[in-house]
Amino acid sequence: MDYKGVKVITHASTFFAPILVPIVVWLLVQNRDAKNMALQALFFHIIMTVLIAISWFFTFLLIGIPFLIVFGLMAIYYPIKGIIYSLNGRPFSYPFVGWIGR
């Protein structure tokens, strides 16, 4: 069975349920690659949420604004890149958490 659709939904979940979908995929899917991708996506979403929250907190000092922009763009760019890679059947690893599941 091809789990390309599951991987695409896992990557796309950043726009509608970034924590819930990877947990559900990780718990329910038996394919090792899909489980690893769900775990990477989960940790990536958690780390990006924390980094964006810290950046948001420091915006009152103006130092957080560049970090907020960079982390916000990363949180959008890498899931889209993962969707494209999954649609093409290529392996993809998120930055910071690519070592998880290897």
Side-chain angles (χ1 to χ4, degrees):
M1 181 176 185
D2 186 19
Y3 287 90
K4 187 186 298 187
V6 173
K7 291 178 184 178
V8 169
I9 294 295
T10 303
H11 293 301
S13 71
T14 193
F15 303 110
F16 59 90
I19 305 296
L20 181 64
V21 171
I23 289 174
V24 170
V25 169
W26 186 73
L27 290 173
L28 297 180
V29 173
Q30 298 299 320
N31 182 279
R32 182 175 180 258
D33 291 334
K35 285 178 89 84
N36 290 341
M37 187 55 53
L39 196 58
Q40 283 186 26
L42 175 65
F43 281 107
F44 179 77
H45 296 317
I46 290 171
I47 289 170
M48 292 311 299
T49 301
V50 170
L51 291 174
I52 289 171
I54 291 170
S55 299
W56 181 259
F57 177 74
F58 283 115
T59 55
F60 73 92
L61 295 175
L62 299 179
I63 194 169
I65 294 172
F67 290 111
L68 185 62
I69 293 168
V70 169
F71 295 142
L73 290 174
M74 284 177 66
I76 294 170
Y77 171 74
Y78 283 107
I80 292 173
K81 185 177 178 181
I83 291 169
I84 293 169
Y85 274 45
S86 294
L87 288 173
N88 292 326
R90 296 171 56 190
F92 175 76
S93 293
Y94 281 98
F96 310 126
V97 295
W99 54 270
I100 295 175
R102 300 273 171 180

